[in-house]
Amino acid sequence: METVATCVVTYAFFIQLVFGGILVGDDTLYTSDDKLYILNVSNFKPMVSGSNSAWVVEFYNSWCGFCKRFAPTWKDFASDIHAWEGIVSVGVVDCADDNNNPLCREYEVMRYPTIRMFSAKHSGKLGIELQKDTIDNMRHALLDFLEKEQMEGRGSSWPNLNPYRSSDLKNLWKDAQEEVSYVMITFEEPDSYIGREIILDLHKIKFIQVRRATTHNEALSRLLDVSIYPHLSVVNRGLESFALHPEGKTRRNFISAIVSFLESEGVAGLDTKKSFSHTGVVIENIEVKHMDNKMHLHGVHIYYKDIIGALAYSLQHEIPLHSIITGEALAALRNYVKILAKYFPVDSQGEEFLGKIKEWVISTGDPVQGQSFLAKLKTFQDESGFTLPVLQDWKGCRGSKQHFRGYPCSLWQTFHMLTVNSVLKNSHNLENFNSLEVLDAMLGYITNFFGCEDCASHFKQMAAESLHTDVQRAEDSILWLWRSHNKANKRLKGDVTEDPMHPKIQFPPRSACPACVDGNGVWNEIEVLRYLKRIYDPENLIYPPPFSSDDKKIDNNAANEVEGKKVGWDFSFADISLCVVLYITSAAILVLVYIKFILSRRYKKKSFVYDLLGKV
Ligand SMILES: Cc1cc2nc3c(=O)[nH]c(=O)nc-3n(C[C@H](O)[C@H](O)[C@H](O)COP(=O)(O)OP(=O)(O)OC[C@H]3O[C@@H](n4cnc5c(N)ncnc54)[C@H](O)[C@@H]3O)c2cc1C
Ligand SMILES: *[C@@H]1O[C@H](CO)[C@@H](O)[C@H](O)[C@H]1NC(C)=O
């Protein structure tokens, strides 16, 4: 019975939609759902004149055929530049509405549609005509207008649309707001629009600034090694620069490249939202999805997803690869599971799981079979109710290509986190704390289990050189690992393994921790320590761990939704036939109403023409 009701309700809704659309759809070409402002005689002046943004307004007439055919394009145009809101707004005025007569007369609108562009703070001028054209051409013409506006001194609060002419990267930062972490530079031919488009598309994202340079700026092209145009580079506050590699040369490709860069840097979550298109072109708008306020914007975020991913890969893959674990390797495994049980952040089920592994590995005799280790993982997961993720889906460690970053990245982070957590957890008792506990276990793990041999030997060498001399006080372990990681970064800079989207830098970048490094590049280790203890504090990892109660709630909801749908669409044969009967009946009514509507419309049209002639 419930399904019958669903069917009736659906139909009622459908009928209302169709009929409602016909009955009101005739004289409103635009609705409040469109991404534009519906202007009229009373709100035009307050909104358009005196506004800080420029305006582009279509004066249309709801009965004019051309206007009707053009409306979908205008709606899509408005969606296409929706992100430019604040710089330029899109509006429409219906000149067929008698009330708007004075307005349309004042602006000397003679033909429909007429499109006018208005300066910011325009006062009483008629505006400049924009030709009706394709979305792309109208957007380009609008950009020319806006750039000219800015050159003539209007729009000084807008982002700079003029080309960057200096070859000194420092000047890029001169007028950047404090919250800006990266300047993106597009390199392009002088007549290309991509730079200006992206400047406006992304102008609301406060932690980046986009500038454009043209082929005329040869010195800058040389400095940043640009030879093919258009091109996209990033410069950080440390004046380090690198190229992003959009998949194609279009505005959308460039935006996607910037969005994925920002996401992988953890600077921001961004959403590209597809809007409903009226003409069939794909329109995407960028929206800031989430910004973490726990950590101050700039730079580095460490994700729990990566840390747990490293744990899963190491336990389920790397360790069981060894058919027999014995002697030194077994001792290393014992140390490793000990520090995991002590310092790896998990919920109570996870604690039980890690505790059981530890007990088993410690108490079981030498040798341990890789296979039995794997089998025990399964058993202990079942017993504790804890699940290790199976698929490797990296977040902050996601490379621009499959073979970049991933596990090694997450393993570094895991050990940084473990050194930090060991200090945090022993903070009440640092005198008796073994500051080598985590690093010894790490060294053992890397030399015996980490799949990359080269890495193991380098790491062993670094440990032999300085581990025992440099790590004395409790917090030295954190700094030693940081220093060693930076040595690795330095050695690997420019290496084929370097992800071009994530160049090897000396960590932390100045943009992330300005206090960590002075003007001559000398580290302030007190600040570095403070910084590392903050970002690698398990409390500060980003994204709730998979076991958080919030997540469970969401999961339950999702499950219910799926269930609900199943029930809702599980029609029996009788229900379907009922729907068919309803459908046929409503179709018949629809036809009748349509015929009636056509007749009345003919009549209405005539009266409109008459009205208009009367007015002019
Ligand atoms: C122990 C170990 C030794 C390795 N040795 C080699 C080697 O000899 N040769 C080789 O080709 N590859 C080696 N690798 C792999 C290599 O270091 C990188 O992990 C890999 O190239 C992926 O680099 P990435 O850009 O993701 O950043 P990674 O260097 O993996 O860094 C991961 C993240 O840690 C943070 N980070 C970076 N530097 C520091 C720092 N100094 N202190 C704290 N946090 C930091 C950043 O957020 C960074 O994104 C080693 C990996 C490990 C775990
Ligand atoms: C103009 O539009 C506003 C907002 O939609 C509305 O509140 C107002 O009544 C309209 N004025 C006229 C004269 O139609």
Side-chain angles (χ1 to χ4, degrees):
M1 210 48 224
E2 197 186 334
T3 52
V4 175
T6 316
C7 181
V8 174
V9 168
T10 315
Y11 250 92
F13 179 69
F14 166 76
I15 287 171
Q16 199 218 320
L17 201 77
V18 173
F19 286 26
I22 288 173
L23 296 179
V24 301
D26 193 43
D27 41 9
T28 47
L29 294 189
Y30 301 97
T31 72
S32 55
D33 289 341
D34 299 318
K35 295 194 161 143
L36 42 74
Y37 292 93
I38 297 178
L39 302 170
N40 60 30
V41 68
S42 42
N43 63 17
F44 188 93
K45 292 252 160 86
M47 292 190 70
V48 178
S49 324
S51 139
N52 273 328
S53 86
W55 278 81
V56 53
V57 178
E58 184 206 10
F59 296 87
Y60 72 101
N61 191 309
S62 46
W63 53 260
C64 113
F66 192 95
C67 298
K68 284 187 193 169
R69 275 183 305 258
F70 183 68
T73 305
W74 192 247
K75 290 175 188 194
D76 278 356
F77 176 69
S79 296
D80 183 85
I81 62 165
H82 186 54
W84 301 8
E85 181 72 43
I87 312 296
V88 58
S89 306
V90 182
V92 289
V93 174
D94 183 1
C95 294
D97 182 341
D98 278 346
N99 294 324
N100 292 333
N101 263 357
L103 185 61
C104 300
R105 200 178 305 118
E106 182 182 339
Y107 283 91
E108 297 176 14
V109 178
M110 307 294 189
R111 296 168 285 120
Y112 304 108
T114 288
I115 304 169
R116 297 271 173 77
M117 301 180 286
F118 297 100
S119 304
K121 301 237 156 68
H122 95 106
S123 41
K125 301 221 185 70
L126 293 184
I128 292 177
E129 183 126 5
L130 175 72
Q131 292 305 318
K132 297 173 291 291
D133 208 326
T134 60
I135 294 169
D136 288 346
N137 288 343
M138 291 194 294
R139 189 179 58 245
H140 294 164
L142 179 61
L143 278 173
D144 287 334
F145 169 75
L146 293 173
E147 191 184 358
K148 190 154 166 283
E149 285 289 297
Q150 196 171 43
M151 254 162 13
E152 290 170 1
R154 292 176 294 270
S156 51
S157 63
W158 302 348
N160 199 338
L161 294 166
N162 292 296
Y164 184 66
R165 296 207 168 77
S166 159
S167 60
D168 188 344
L169 293 179
K170 267 198 223 105
N171 293 333
L172 280 175
W173 289 98
K174 263 196 183 145
D175 48 26
Q177 299 285 320
E178 206 211 320
E179 63 265 32
V180 175
S181 295
Y182 300 99
V183 176
M184 315 284 168
I185 314 179
T186 63
F187 288 84
E188 58 185 340
E189 302 289 344
D191 60 354
S192 149
Y193 288 95
I194 196 167
R196 281 166 284 177
E197 285 167 348
I198 291 168
I199 290 172
L200 295 185
D201 285 334
L202 303 182
H203 82 100
K204 290 209 178 109
I205 302 175
K206 293 297 176 210
F207 34 83
I208 64 169
Q209 186 175 309
V210 185
R211 290 301 305 268
R212 61 188 278 252
T214 68
T215 47
H216 294 318
N217 193 339
E218 288 171 22
L220 190 67
S221 296
R222 233 175 295 121
L223 183 70
L224 298 191
D225 219 3
V226 181
S227 50
I228 298 169
Y229 301 86
H231 172 99
L232 183 57
S233 285
V234 181
V235 180
N236 66 18
R237 282 198 179 258
L239 302 188
E240 288 163 313
S241 69
F242 43 94
L244 295 184
H245 299 282
E247 277 171 18
K249 301 293 186 191
T250 67
R251 173 185 176 204
R252 301 292 166 211
N253 293 138
F254 272 50
I255 289 177
S256 301
I258 292 173
V259 166
S260 38
F261 168 77
L262 293 177
E263 284 190 327
S264 62
E265 286 296 287
V267 177
L270 300 173
D271 226 354
T272 43
K273 280 223 172 86
K274 287 206 170 65
S275 5
F276 176 70
S277 168
H278 300 268
T279 60
V281 295
V282 179
I283 292 170
E284 286 173 340
N285 290 117
I286 310 292
E287 280 173 25
V288 179
K289 193 169 53 189
H290 67 82
M291 269 170 43
D292 206 270
N293 47 14
K294 211 191 275 176
M295 242 160 273
H296 190 62
L297 278 178
H298 306 166
V300 183
H301 291 188
I302 310 295
Y303 292 90
Y304 188 78
K305 197 171 188 180
D306 294 335
I307 306 281
I308 194 86
L311 178 76
Y313 189 84
S314 124
L315 293 180
Q316 290 173 321
H317 187 85
E318 213 155 50
I319 295 169
L321 263 185
H322 297 247
S323 56
I324 291 186
I325 304 163
T326 176
E328 190 199 311
L330 184 55
L333 182 59
R334 285 178 174 154
N335 281 336
Y336 179 60
V337 295
K338 267 191 230 166
I339 62 153
L340 291 182
K342 251 173 143 168
Y343 303 126
F344 197 99
V346 274
D347 65 347
S348 56
Q349 293 166 329
E351 272 170 20
E352 187 185 334
F353 168 73
L354 289 176
K356 285 187 175 200
I357 300 183
K358 183 191 83 175
E359 289 312 320
W360 183 77
V361 171
I362 287 176
S363 58
T364 219
D366 188 343
V368 168
Q369 314 279 336
Q371 274 305 323
S372 14
F373 182 80
L374 194 58
K376 285 293 168 193
L377 288 184
K378 171 113 193 30
T379 313
F380 296 149
Q381 285 184 78
D382 290 345
E383 286 175 12
S384 66
F386 177 75
T387 358
L388 288 166
V390 181
L391 284 179
Q392 299 301 320
D393 179 16
W394 308 107
K395 178 81 187 154
C397 282
R398 191 168 59 205
S400 64
K401 296 247 162 58
Q402 191 69 36
H403 62 279
F404 289 131
R405 313 195 72 211
Y407 177 59
C409 167
S410 67
L411 194 63
W412 271 121
Q413 294 185 339
T414 300
F415 281 111
H416 287 298
M417 179 276 295
L418 290 171
T419 55
V420 166
N421 203 23
S422 71
V423 169
L424 294 176
K425 280 206 155 177
N426 290 288
S427 54
H428 52 282
N429 185 24
L430 285 177
E431 304 84 59
N432 299 322
F433 165 63
N434 172 12
S435 54
L436 283 170
E437 185 183 20
V438 171
L439 292 179
D440 275 339
M442 175 180 178
L443 182 60
Y445 184 84
I446 298 291
T447 35
N448 289 285
F449 295 100
F450 190 40
C452 157
E453 268 201 50
D454 219 27
C455 307
S457 65
H458 277 129
F459 193 70
K460 221 169 159 175
Q461 196 188 332
M462 287 194 290
E465 279 165 10
S466 58
L467 185 57
H468 288 268
T469 50
D470 287 5
V471 181
Q472 307 285 341
R473 287 168 308 137
E475 296 181 324
D476 290 347
S477 59
I478 301 174
L479 283 172
W480 184 86
L481 193 59
W482 160 73
R483 235 178 269 121
S484 303
H485 192 169
N486 268 348
K487 283 184 198 160
N489 293 341
K490 194 168 182 183
R491 181 155 32 83
L492 296 172
K493 194 171 166 65
D495 190 70
V496 289
T497 61
E498 177 178 55
D499 185 340
M501 299 267 282
H502 301 275
K504 304 279 177 200
I505 53 162
Q506 291 301 290
F507 186 94
R510 194 189 305 268
S511 58
C513 177
C516 287
V517 58
D518 73 10
N520 302 318
V522 178
W523 295 111
N524 177 339
E525 294 199 345
I526 293 172
E527 289 297 331
V528 171
L529 185 62
R530 197 200 307 266
Y531 177 75
L532 294 172
K533 280 172 78 172
R534 180 160 60 84
I535 64 163
Y536 285 111
D537 179 344
E539 297 265 308
N540 288 333
L541 299 178
I542 314 256
Y543 274 35
F547 47 75
S548 94
S549 51
D550 278 2
D551 258 22
K552 281 210 181 106
K553 252 181 256 147
I554 292 165
D555 278 345
N556 283 343
N557 285 343
N560 287 343
E561 227 165 71
V562 173
E563 289 268 293
K565 269 197 190 122
K566 252 200 207 144
V567 175
W569 293 107
D570 195 10
F571 289 131
S572 70
F573 183 71
D575 298 330
I576 293 173
S577 13
L578 186 96
C579 273
V580 169
V581 172
L582 260 173
Y583 171 72
I584 291 171
T585 320
S586 57
I589 298 173
L590 187 66
V591 169
L592 285 175
V593 169
Y594 184 70
I595 292 168
K596 189 168 185 285
F597 166 73
I598 290 278
L599 292 175
S600 70
R601 190 169 166 217
R602 283 213 183 115
Y603 173 71
K604 205 169 161 195
K605 214 177 204 170
K606 273 192 201 119
S607 73
F608 258 120
V609 175
Y610 176 75
D611 267 353
L612 185 89
L613 290 176
K615 274 178 215 160
V616 173

